[in-house]
Amino acid sequence: TQSTWGLQAEAVFETSTMAAPTAASPETPAPIVTPSTRLLYFADTKKQEATATVIECCPEENGEWTVILDQTIFHARGGGQPGDEGTIVLASGEDDGPAFEVKSSGWMKNAQTADGAGVVGHTGKFRDPTKPLKKGDSVRLQLDFEKRWLHARLHS
């Protein structure tokens, strides 16, 4: 079984830059057309919180989920540096609302955007799998900044 994105769970991310396929075949599913992800970390690398809107939220075969946002502070995996980790919760602050633990972030392999900039996927698990985020939800992103700082120091 494949996710809503038509991808195997282990094939969700590229390891460096996004390179979406141009034609569908049994080996390469039809590309997903979606808005590109606005990368907030380029404007402020020390930003630890931000808000965003859920574009898509898809279950994967391995029990994890992939969350696509309109913008992100989570640095995508690439160039040997791991993707950022942290949490995504409803912006309304509901204590019993969905809470998503981001285990990694990276470029979606099977996504195309009008501007070619790429789409960042956030993989992880919900604290309560019966309460996933929904398309259109306004969310608050909370970065595990200590882990990012460690990765940046080790990578440089």
Side-chain angles (χ1 to χ4, degrees):
T1 311
Q2 294 182 338
S3 72
T4 309
W5 290 95
L7 302 172
Q8 296 297 329
E10 63 275 4
V12 173
F13 296 135
E14 285 279 24
T15 54
S16 56
T17 59
M18 194 192 119
T22 56
S25 73
E27 296 80 36
T28 53
I32 297 108
V33 180
T34 184
S36 60
T37 307
R38 186 169 169 231
L39 307 175
L40 301 176
Y41 52 80
F42 281 140
D44 183 357
T45 60
K46 294 184 179 179
K47 191 174 191 81
Q48 297 179 46
E49 288 195 15
T51 57
T53 301
V54 175
I55 302 296
E56 194 66 59
C57 186
C58 308
E60 301 293 344
E61 286 185 336
N62 62 0
E64 292 190 335
W65 288 70
T66 298
V67 176
I68 309 296
L69 305 168
D70 66 333
Q71 59 184 17
T72 189
I73 56 172
F74 293 92
H75 199 288
R77 177 174 60 200
Q81 186 165 335
D84 280 335
E85 298 180 27
T87 58
I88 301 173
V89 296
L90 288 177
S92 63
E94 292 178 36
D95 288 338
D96 63 342
F100 184 71
E101 297 292 334
V102 178
K103 298 299 179 196
S104 187
S105 53
W107 294 108
M108 298 295 296
K109 288 175 69 174
N110 194 34
Q112 288 183 343
T113 61
D115 60 9
V119 176
V120 175
H122 307 78
T123 59
K125 293 190 175 192
F126 286 97
R127 290 181 190 153
D128 180 349
T130 66
K131 296 181 180 180
L133 293 166
K134 297 176 193 74
K135 186 175 184 173
D137 278 348
S138 179
V139 293
R140 187 174 75 244
L141 317 177
Q142 299 167 315
L143 180 69
D144 182 339
F145 192 74
E146 287 182 26
K147 196 164 274 189
R148 174 191 280 172
W149 189 242
L150 173 67
H151 291 159
R153 288 193 328 257
L154 293 174
H155 184 69
S156 298

